[in-house]
Amino acid sequence: MSRLIVVSNRVPVPDKRGTAPAGGLAVALQSALAARGGLWLGWSGQSCGEEDVGPLRSVKDGNIEYALTDLTDLDVEEYYHGFANRVLWPICHYRLDLAEYGRREMAGYFRVNRFFASRLLPMLQEDDLIWVHDYHLIPLADELRRQGVKNRIGFFLHIPWPAPDVFLAMPVHEELLKTLTAYDVIGFQTVHDRENFAECLARQGLGKRLGESKFMVGEHTFTARPYPIGIETDEFAGLAKRAAETTLHKRMLQSLDGKALIIGVDRLDYSKGITQRIDAFETFLNRHPESQRNVTLLQITPKSRSEVPEYEAMQRTVAEQAGRVNGALGTVDWVPIRYVNRSLRRPALAGLYRMAKLALVTPLRDGMNLVAKEYVAAQCEDDPGVLLLSRFAGAAQELKEAVLVNPYDVEGTAEAMARSLAMPVDERRERWRSMMKTLRENDVFAWCDTFLGELSGSTARPAYRAALPQGGILRSKAV
Ligand code: ADQ
């Protein structure tokens, strides 16, 4: 079997005790790496200021090598904060209004991709399979090809690919689209993303479509297909079951004092629809006064990207909004919204999901949304809670038995909350069983196998689960 090379912006490096930071994606990729032997390359998260970047920092864990590079201040500003976070992220989430185009940032993005290619080059062997992740690294294959690399190279986009009218509004769209076609396999979360990509090619007159998933640009043919990402379903379900025995779980139950728990878990990001969700919750409480004092919304939102001004503003807006609702509707012994700005360990999160009667997963746009899948996996089969899910999350393409809503429709979402809380147990069980079947069939290990099967041209499915790194899901976190 060929070696596997994973390249992503950030890398979940195990610490000195061999413990990697947590999450299904990292575990699946680590187990694929452990089965084949290989290398994971990415940014260290550190800047070397204005100095020249020093040698790679390498950490060995069994037959996996983690290779980390620093970047200069200018690189971090232009490539990461600039083009990736202030242009590609908003554009791919349909927020043309938030995109800040600057020639300098665009040039910096391509420059840093060239730099990653030059760091990888000396470590490559002839038959290595290369798997590149996410929007930070779209031009990487093109840069590697320019430097003479002939290996099979795959790319997976974790976020949505926007409709042509949105994508084509980005000044550098043509170059970016062209560089994407240098890959051998391009993975999207949904059919919808792949079709948006295909329409962008057609609108630009770039190459031709040979079949549903086959495309040709110049002499190069490649595959572009949906590979919806999953979670470590059975492991996460086990974690949630065990969490019910913990002290935190018992304390939480006590503090709820019989009230139904409603949960929202998201990184603080404008794509997640948190303010619209709180508006909908307030509308629900006002329209269903009998629910007041009987429900509590726990919104868990760790800060992210606080260097981007929109995120800082959003943090203030959400805190003020929760405070306003609590002030207007709360009583001395009932707080409608508990707003928590921190990250939780996975066992604690799994336990809270299991306790919640309803999960509000209402992004305005999301590549997949793993919180939706984790919530379903964490439920107790006899008395499962209800997943209220945005139609604009990739997960809605698979979890059709969720209560699907349009998050922009605040009143519709409020009514869906009322229906979900009143849903009879038989209906909840039926919906849950069907969603759980989907999650079991397409877990993150199957996702990894399918993508790598396509990339390596092999139909045999290696059992990556058997090669799970020590400690499994308790020890790792998303890339
Ligand atoms: P994200 O935008 O980060 O990922 P998501 O898919 O929801 O979104 O994954 C978030 C992960 O972080 C989940 O595993 C969740 O449990 C964890 N998390 C969130 N809040 C947490 C908290 N307070 N404490 C601890 N853990 C927390 C991007 C894309 C998504 C796509 C994923 C994977 O934007 O659309 O689903 O990649 O491809």
Side-chain angles (χ1 to χ4, degrees):
M1 217 170 9
S2 320
R3 257 187 1 152
L4 176 62
I5 310 293
V6 175
V7 190
S8 59
N9 180 53
R10 298 303 304 278
V11 180
V13 185
D15 67 16
K16 290 193 186 81
R17 290 171 296 133
T19 309
L25 169 60
V27 174
L29 290 176
Q30 278 158 344
S31 33
L33 281 163
R36 293 172 170 266
L39 172 76
W40 194 331
L41 171 81
W43 176 35
S44 61
Q46 307 289 317
S47 162
C48 56
E50 288 165 18
E51 311 263 305
D52 283 347
V53 177
L56 286 170
R57 185 159 66 82
S58 167
V59 179
K60 283 281 253 179
D61 184 23
N63 58 352
I64 309 177
E65 182 180 353
Y66 297 88
L68 305 171
T69 182
D70 290 350
L71 294 174
T72 65
D73 277 352
L74 190 71
D75 289 342
V76 175
E77 187 45 42
E78 295 179 352
Y79 147 82
Y80 181 67
H81 297 318
F83 196 71
N85 285 345
R86 292 204 207 102
V87 179
L88 285 176
W89 180 270
I91 287 279
C92 290
H93 291 88
Y94 291 71
R95 292 299 303 267
L96 275 170
D97 58 320
L98 296 180
E100 295 170 35
Y101 314 105
R103 297 276 156 195
R104 230 166 35 93
E105 285 74 13
M106 293 178 202
Y109 176 76
F110 286 96
R111 182 185 71 243
V112 172
N113 269 272
R114 199 169 316 126
F115 171 70
F116 274 117
S118 67
R119 297 240 93 166
L120 183 57
L121 200 60
M123 291 183 287
L124 278 181
Q125 295 172 12
E126 214 171 70
D127 62 346
D128 285 344
L129 285 179
I130 306 171
W131 191 0
V132 179
H133 285 261
D134 231 359
Y135 60 102
H136 311 88
L137 299 170
I138 294 173
L140 190 64
D142 186 59
E143 294 294 351
L144 286 166
R145 298 279 181 239
R146 283 169 199 265
Q147 297 182 35
V149 172
K150 303 261 184 308
N151 302 50
R152 298 270 297 167
I153 315 178
F155 176 79
F156 184 76
L157 183 69
H158 290 260
I159 65 176
W161 185 273
D165 282 341
V166 176
F167 181 72
L168 301 183
M170 183 170 54
V172 77
H173 63 263
E174 198 167 357
E175 203 171 346
L176 202 67
L177 191 61
K178 230 184 218 156
T179 62
L180 184 52
T181 65
Y183 287 93
D184 297 298
V185 179
I186 307 170
F188 294 101
Q189 298 277 24
T190 65
V191 175
H192 192 72
D193 297 316
R194 196 269 308 279
E195 290 308 310
N196 280 342
F197 164 74
E199 279 175 39
C200 286
L201 288 179
R203 287 268 285 271
Q204 288 299 105
L206 198 56
K208 59 180 179 207
R209 195 167 187 167
L210 305 177
E212 195 183 36
S213 320
K214 288 280 172 213
F215 297 79
M216 185 171 186
V217 171
E219 296 295 298
H220 177 61
T221 56
F222 61 92
T223 301
R225 264 196 50 191
Y227 299 89
I229 193 168
I231 58 161
E232 67 290 32
T233 310
D234 289 328
E235 291 79 356
F236 200 83
L239 206 57
K241 212 170 183 177
R242 291 193 295 280
E245 306 305 319
T246 60
T247 326
L248 173 76
H249 194 91
K250 288 173 188 150
R251 273 212 318 265
M252 183 69 195
L253 268 182
Q254 216 170 23
S255 85
L256 282 171
D257 192 23
K259 295 175 184 64
L261 178 66
I262 302 177
I263 197 165
V265 176
D266 317 75
R267 263 186 320 101
L268 185 71
D269 192 285
Y270 47 78
S271 65
K272 302 291 182 185
I274 302 171
T275 53
Q276 288 81 351
R277 182 185 310 165
I278 296 180
D279 279 347
F281 182 63
E282 184 182 14
T283 306
F284 157 71
L285 290 175
N286 280 321
R287 292 201 173 170
H288 298 271
E290 70 287 358
S291 292
Q292 294 185 17
R293 304 174 59 83
N294 287 326
V295 297
T296 291
L297 169 60
L298 173 63
Q299 177 63 48
I300 305 175
T301 302
K303 294 178 199 168
S304 69
R305 303 178 191 164
S306 36
E307 70 290 341
V308 181
E310 286 78 27
Y311 290 77
E312 221 186 287
M314 201 189 140
Q315 197 178 321
R316 274 196 308 274
T317 311
V318 175
E320 280 166 18
Q321 201 187 3
R324 193 180 47 71
V325 175
N326 285 341
L329 297 172
T331 58
V332 285
D333 59 351
W334 174 56
V335 182
I337 303 174
R338 298 188 197 180
Y339 178 51
V340 180
N341 258 167
R342 65 178 73 223
S343 202
L344 297 185
R345 289 177 51 247
R346 286 176 79 70
L349 198 59
L352 288 169
Y353 285 142
R354 192 175 175 91
M355 200 182 292
K357 299 285 172 230
L358 175 62
L360 306 180
V361 183
T362 54
L364 304 177
R365 196 62 65 168
D366 218 330
M368 176 54 62
N369 197 299
L370 297 181
V371 169
K373 294 188 168 182
E374 290 165 356
Y375 175 75
V376 172
Q379 297 309 297
C380 156
E381 71 174 291
D382 292 335
D383 188 17
V386 178
L387 172 65
L388 192 143
L389 179 62
S390 162
R391 294 181 186 286
F392 306 123
Q397 302 300 312
E398 287 174 277
L399 303 179
K400 296 195 187 305
E401 300 80 9
V403 173
L404 296 179
V405 294
N406 171 356
Y408 294 96
D409 175 7
V410 167
E411 292 180 25
T413 305
E415 283 319 305
M417 288 179 193
R419 259 187 291 121
S420 302
L421 285 167
M423 191 181 286
V425 70
D426 286 348
E427 184 179 347
R428 283 189 276 127
R429 282 192 199 131
E430 207 172 301
R431 286 176 185 254
W432 177 81
R433 266 189 221 118
S434 190
M435 290 193 281
M436 196 60 178
K437 183 165 177 283
T438 308
L439 295 188
R440 286 209 166 103
E441 281 166 6
N442 187 31
D443 68 3
V444 73
F445 302 98
W447 168 79
C448 207
D449 284 354
T450 316
F451 189 94
L452 287 175
E454 180 81 47
L455 186 61
S456 64
S458 139
T459 46
R461 311 226 324 180
Y464 293 133
R465 188 189 299 270
L468 262 180
Q470 267 210 331
I473 52 168
L474 291 177
R475 291 183 166 186
S476 22
K477 149 173 136 201
V479 184

